Amino acid sequence: MRRSTLWTLGLLLALALFPYVAAALDMDFYVSLVRRVLIYALAATSLNLILGYGGMVALGHAAFFGAGAYVVGILDAAGIQAALVAWPAAAAVAAVLALLIGAVSLRTRGVYFIMITLAFAQMVYYLFISLRQYGGEDGLNLSGYSLLPGIDLADNTHFYYLVLALFAVLVWAFGRLVDSRFGAALQGIRENESRMEALGYPVYRLKLAAFVISGAAAGLAGALLANHNLFISPSLMHWTQSANLLVMVLVGGIGLRYGGVAGAVVMLALEEVLRMWTEYWHLPLGVLLLCVVFGAPRGVAGLVGPWFAGAARGGRP
């Protein structure tokens, strides 16, 4: 654990120093890129909680991601730009949406669960497309960044450090959660749900609680992305966005502590590099991802397991 703690602190220190290094090398653009990676890493980590630790293969996580972004946009259109109001509201609305969807979806299993989460997400997607007062298919522009006392989010570096701080706190909180009795019970459900029910565990309530927590974190990530782009599109809720998050977790390592983080880094970094070479970057990206999947069955985070020990393995047996 000492080794994993040192690795974690080292990575956080590198991320904290990155804006200064980027400024010295005249590469300020990459500060915004890394900030985007951190936001998606948070969303993928939230999905990894239910997928990797709870065994719930959800294909509708983008509904919570996009809902959080739209809450910020709708409040901005109403003249409410305070981050201390908009961001908690985004997480709360996403949590309520997750509660409603989870209450129905979690009564099913296997492929039926996958399909019903996809169906609910598409319903939410088409709902926001129909809201013409908020842009409909064209999306919604924000009038400006959310307002936070003492922090100017319009400053690229200030916003970067805020996202980094939220990312570090929430990833740490997820780590504590999966190491708790709740996390142990969730992993037990993943391995053998029937046995956990026979032992007297409230399986449905535990899965629903994890689903709601995951949705709330995705909603907060959506609020951050809305400020990052200053634009919100219904495409954030499309099933392809859910599939992207699912692939990030798969590539990073399902059920590994930093699986969602590693997957987001690999996916978005490859996308950015390949865009520079060709406009048909999807094909080589797909080939590279296949190589990662076949060459690293436990994901990218699993490759560094021997060095990143407990931090990478999490609670995976």
Side-chain angles (χ1 to χ4, degrees), residues 3-143:
R3 187 189 307 177
S4 67
T5 301
L6 289 175
W7 271 93
T8 302
L9 292 176
L11 287 173
L12 287 175
L13 179 61
L15 287 170
L17 294 175
F18 180 75
Y20 297 101
V21 175
L25 298 176
D26 197 24
M27 299 169 65
D28 293 315
F29 162 76
Y30 289 99
V31 175
S32 178
L33 174 63
V34 173
R35 187 174 69 207
R36 179 169 174 262
V37 171
L38 290 174
I39 293 170
Y40 271 94
L42 178 56
T45 299
S46 70
L47 175 60
N48 197 23
L49 174 67
I50 58 173
L51 172 61
Y53 292 95
M56 294 171 264
V57 186
L59 195 54
H61 211 64
F64 316 131
F65 191 42
Y70 262 96
V71 168
V72 172
I74 291 170
L75 289 177
D76 178 76
I80 302 173
Q81 291 183 291
L84 294 178
V85 174
W87 295 5
V93 168
V96 171
L97 184 61
L99 177 63
L100 297 174
I101 293 176
V104 177
S105 303
L106 291 171
R107 297 186 183 278
T108 63
R109 296 182 184 180
V111 68
Y112 301 104
F113 177 77
I114 298 173
M115 295 309 296
I116 199 169
T117 54
L118 171 61
F120 274 119
Q122 287 300 96
M123 287 168 61
V124 175
Y125 167 71
Y126 285 112
L127 170 64
F128 277 92
I129 278 184
S130 67
L131 296 178
R132 300 299 177 187
Q133 65 270 38
Y134 298 115
E137 287 184 278
D138 297 326
L140 177 65
N141 288 306
L142 269 66
S143 62

Side-chain angles (χ1 to χ4, degrees), residues 16-297:
L17 294 175
F18 180 75
Y20 297 101
V21 175
L25 298 176
D26 197 24
M27 299 169 65
D28 293 315
F29 162 76
Y30 289 99
V31 175
S32 178
L33 174 63
V34 173
R35 187 174 69 207
R36 179 169 174 262
V37 171
L38 290 174
I39 293 170
Y40 271 94
L42 178 56
T45 299
S46 70
L47 175 60
N48 197 23
L49 174 67
I50 58 173
L51 172 61
Y53 292 95
M56 294 171 264
V57 186
L59 195 54
H61 211 64
F64 316 131
F65 191 42
Y70 262 96
V71 168
V72 172
I74 291 170
L75 289 177
D76 178 76
I80 302 173
Q81 291 183 291
L84 294 178
V85 174
W87 295 5
V93 168
V96 171
L97 184 61
L99 177 63
L100 297 174
I101 293 176
V104 177
S105 303
L106 291 171
R107 297 186 183 278
T108 63
R109 296 182 184 180
V111 68
Y112 301 104
F113 177 77
I114 298 173
M115 295 309 296
I116 199 169
T117 54
L118 171 61
F120 274 119
Q122 287 300 96
M123 287 168 61
V124 175
Y125 167 71
Y126 285 112
L127 170 64
F128 277 92
I129 278 184
S130 67
L131 296 178
R132 300 299 177 187
Q133 65 270 38
Y134 298 115
E137 287 184 278
D138 297 326
L140 177 65
N141 288 306
L142 269 66
S143 62
Y145 292 95
S146 296
L147 302 177
L148 194 63
I151 300 176
D152 180 13
L153 297 186
D155 185 289
N156 199 31
T157 304
H158 288 183
F159 191 17
Y160 172 87
Y161 280 120
L162 177 62
V163 170
L164 177 59
L166 289 173
F167 166 80
V169 169
L170 288 171
V171 170
W172 172 83
F174 274 120
R176 296 289 294 175
L177 184 66
V178 299
D179 286 338
S180 67
R181 293 178 63 186
F182 173 83
L186 197 61
Q187 292 168 64
I189 294 170
R190 176 195 65 197
E191 299 302 324
N192 195 325
E193 186 171 331
S194 299
R195 185 176 182 181
M196 293 298 285
E197 284 180 340
L199 290 172
Y201 283 88
V203 169
Y204 176 78
R205 288 194 304 231
L206 288 170
K207 291 171 69 174
L208 184 58
F211 202 80
V212 171
I213 293 169
S214 176
L220 178 58
L224 294 173
L225 187 66
N227 278 271
H228 174 82
N229 294 331
L230 288 180
F231 174 75
I232 304 155
S233 168
S235 63
L236 283 176
M237 300 179 175
H238 197 259
W239 72 267
T240 53
Q241 188 70 257
S242 296
N244 284 338
L245 294 174
L246 200 62
V247 171
M248 286 180 188
V249 177
L250 176 65
V251 169
I254 297 175
L256 301 184
R257 183 71 53 84
Y258 295 128
V261 178
V265 171
V266 170
M267 284 279 291
L268 296 179
L270 285 176
E271 177 183 323
E272 191 64 31
V273 170
L274 292 173
R275 279 179 188 271
M276 298 178 185
W277 291 349
T278 174
E279 59 181 309
Y280 306 106
W281 55 271
H282 295 87
L283 179 59
L285 177 62
V287 173
L288 287 171
L289 291 178
L290 282 175
C291 293
V292 170
V293 170
F294 286 113

